[in-house]
């Protein structure tokens, strides 16, 4: 079993974006030491509680802290950008850290409508172009643009020893369909949508078309996870994640609530219902319990790789959570 990490560089209340980014540097070092397979960073815009707005910049910093673990984007939101420029960025990263770089892409806006307009200088871009953008990006990464392409002959320099791994990220059958038809690897965001993921993964495999990047389908799945020595301790820390998730749904984009706030929170019946539903997006418990649930999740998706995201208030408890899970799976012996 391969375990990986998705890091949004969350900002706990009372801390700064710099604090959160320093925690990401600390976490990637620990992840490599513990034997995690890959480490992805997110792209979000106009959110006070998340420090990761530019994955390319953060990847460069994190890759300088590592030698083995794969570092990548989870993901670059391609509709905002030129496929050519994205290919240049990741070819440069692949030269700085050969055979370590992943390019995960998504088509979500990554923020509110106003930040999307700001990113595109007021232009309203159609998502209908997304498949063509992915095709162009593949062409630049493999130096294999179609003969009739208007930019045939343009190279995304500097060309690396080998292209980055390309993953399409999503939480629906639409994203999986694009990944299958275009021949990319596929990562399902169970931490966003816990409904129907295994069926989506099965559809992706059945429909997969080989490409210049992949001859066979590849799937991983990402879920929130909070692990501690006891169920009670894990639940206590997970309460800050649960309240944060609820606040995000309510349009509040501030930092992760404190333990005291989570303990004092008195939900309405509707909020209690939403928190119950959101528990389907989280694995919580002691190391043995968490390991069992991760293995069950992997089996349901028919994958040997699960990505974990742990957005809780206590940053030392966050590091310990990843450590306890790595120890439960004895990851270091496979590193």
């Amino acid at each position: 079993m391969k375990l990986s990490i998705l890091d949004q560089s969350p900002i706990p209340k009372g801390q700064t974006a710099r604090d959160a980014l320093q925690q990401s540097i600390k976490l990637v070092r620990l992840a490599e030491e513990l034997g995690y397979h890959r480490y992805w960073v997110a792209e979000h815009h106009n959110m006070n509680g998340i420090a990761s707005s530019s994955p390319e910049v953060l990847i460069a910093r994190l890759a300088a802290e590592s030698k083995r673990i794969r570092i990548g984007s989870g993901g670059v939101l391609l509709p905002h950008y030129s496929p050519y420029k994205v290919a240049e960025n990741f070819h440069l990263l692949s030269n700085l850290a050969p055979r370590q770089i992943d390019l995960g892409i998504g088509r979500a806006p990554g923020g509110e409508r106003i930040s999307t307009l700001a990113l595109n200088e007021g232009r309203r871009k159609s998502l209908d172009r997304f498949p063509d953008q992915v095709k162009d990006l593949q062409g630049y990464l493999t130096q294999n643009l179609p003969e009739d392409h208007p930019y045939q002959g343009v190279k995304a320099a500097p060309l690396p020893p080998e292209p980055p791994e390309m993953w399409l990220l999503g939480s629906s059958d639409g994203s999986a369909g694009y990944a299958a038809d275009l021949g990319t690897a596929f990562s399902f965001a169970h931490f966003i949508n816990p409904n129907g993921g295994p069926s989506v993964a099965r559809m992706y495999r059945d429909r997969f078309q080989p490409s210049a990047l992949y001859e066979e389908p590849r799937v991983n799945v990402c879920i929130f996870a909070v692990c501690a020595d006891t169920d009670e301790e894990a639940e206590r820390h997970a309460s800050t994640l649960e309240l944060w998730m609820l606040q995000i749904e309510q349009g509040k984009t501030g930092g992760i609530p404190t333990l005291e706030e989570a303990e004092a929170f008195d939900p309405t019946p509707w909020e209690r219902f939403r928190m119950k539903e959101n528990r389907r997006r989280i694995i919580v418990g002691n190391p043995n319990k968490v390991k069992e649930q991760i293995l069950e999740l992997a089996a349901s998706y028919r994958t040997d790789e699960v990505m974990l995201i742990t957005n809780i208030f206590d940053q030392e408890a966050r590091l310990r959570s990843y450590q306890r899970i790595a120890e439960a799976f004895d990851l270091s012996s496979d590193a």
Side-chain angles (χ1 to χ4, degrees):
M1 170 66 66
K2 297 174 184 175
L3 294 183
S4 299
I5 292 173
L6 173 62
D7 180 14
Q8 295 177 327
S9 299
I11 307 172
K13 282 191 176 179
Q15 297 190 26
T16 67
R18 176 171 171 76
D19 293 331
L21 294 170
Q22 290 299 312
Q23 283 294 325
S24 292
I25 293 170
K26 189 174 182 179
L27 178 56
V28 78
R29 292 172 182 157
L30 178 65
E32 177 157 277
E33 177 185 329
L34 294 174
Y36 280 89
H37 180 56
R38 65 179 98 237
Y39 189 105
W40 286 355
V41 294
E43 177 180 340
H44 291 276
H45 301 285
N46 199 33
M47 293 187 70
N48 296 330
I50 291 177
S52 181
S53 58
S54 180
E56 303 93 332
V57 175
L58 188 51
I59 288 168
R61 181 66 177 86
L62 298 178
E65 299 290 336
S66 64
K67 296 180 180 179
R68 175 198 57 80
I69 191 170
R70 298 196 66 88
I71 310 289
S73 56
V76 168
L77 304 179
L78 188 58
H80 296 314
Y81 309 117
S82 153
Y84 177 56
K85 185 56 180 174
V86 173
E88 281 189 326
N89 285 340
F90 278 81
H91 274 176
L92 178 54
L93 290 168
S94 295
N95 273 285
L96 290 170
R99 300 174 182 85
Q100 262 188 278
I101 301 299
D102 294 338
L103 169 53
I105 58 172
R107 63 179 185 136
E112 299 172 335
R113 177 175 173 273
I114 190 169
S115 57
T116 296
L117 289 172
L119 280 165
N120 296 284
E121 297 185 300
R123 294 187 296 271
R124 301 177 190 277
K125 293 187 177 180
S126 172
L127 291 179
D128 294 341
R129 288 201 61 251
F130 183 70
D132 291 330
Q133 286 187 294
V134 177
K135 289 178 185 177
D136 285 351
L137 183 53
Q138 286 175 305
Y140 290 125
L141 292 176
T142 61
Q143 305 175 60
N144 189 30
L145 289 170
E147 290 186 5
D148 60 350
H149 195 281
Y151 307 126
Q152 171 62 243
V154 174
K155 305 295 184 185
L159 299 177
E162 62 182 50
E165 286 191 15
M166 185 174 176
W167 292 73
L168 202 156
L169 284 53
S171 58
S172 70
D173 56 359
S175 299
Y178 289 136
D181 294 344
L182 300 171
T184 74
F186 178 61
S187 179
F188 188 84
H190 191 103
F191 75 102
I192 294 175
N193 175 23
N195 300 308
S199 297
V200 170
R202 182 167 59 252
M203 180 274 285
Y204 159 76
R205 287 190 179 90
D206 292 343
R207 192 163 138 182
F208 181 83
Q209 298 296 314
S211 69
L213 290 171
Y214 293 100
E215 294 182 358
E216 297 179 346
R218 294 180 62 182
V219 175
N220 70 29
V221 56
C222 183
I223 190 167
F224 284 116
V226 182
C227 183
D229 291 332
T230 66
D231 288 347
E232 292 76 17
E233 183 184 359
E235 291 287 349
R236 181 167 177 264
H237 290 296
S239 68
T240 64
L241 167 61
E242 290 183 294
L243 181 53
W244 181 74
M245 292 166 69
L246 182 64
Q247 291 175 343
I248 293 293
E249 290 183 352
Q250 296 171 339
K252 304 171 186 176
T253 60
I256 297 177
T258 66
L259 284 160
E260 292 74 19
E261 286 179 285
E263 289 170 350
F265 180 63
D266 183 19
T268 66
W270 173 250
E271 289 171 334
R272 189 174 291 108
F273 168 76
R274 286 305 310 152
M275 294 173 81
K276 181 179 179 181
E277 287 294 298
N278 283 337
R279 280 305 289 257
R280 299 167 58 214
R281 300 157 57 188
I282 316 172
I283 290 174
V284 183
N286 66 66
N288 289 335
K289 182 177 180 179
V290 168
K291 179 180 180 180
E292 180 180 350
Q293 291 185 46
I294 288 174
L295 290 173
E296 289 176 358
L297 183 75
S300 69
Y301 279 86
R302 291 173 49 206
T303 181
D304 66 349
E305 181 182 356
V306 175
M307 300 198 79
L308 308 175
I309 174 171
T310 305
N311 290 357
I312 57 178
F313 175 80
D314 187 320
Q315 294 301 285
E316 289 305 312
R318 181 174 180 238
L319 297 177
R320 287 196 301 272
S321 177
Y322 286 117
Q323 184 171 356
R324 294 292 182 268
I325 296 172
E327 291 168 350
F329 280 88
D330 197 18
L331 293 185
S332 60
S333 66
D334 300 325

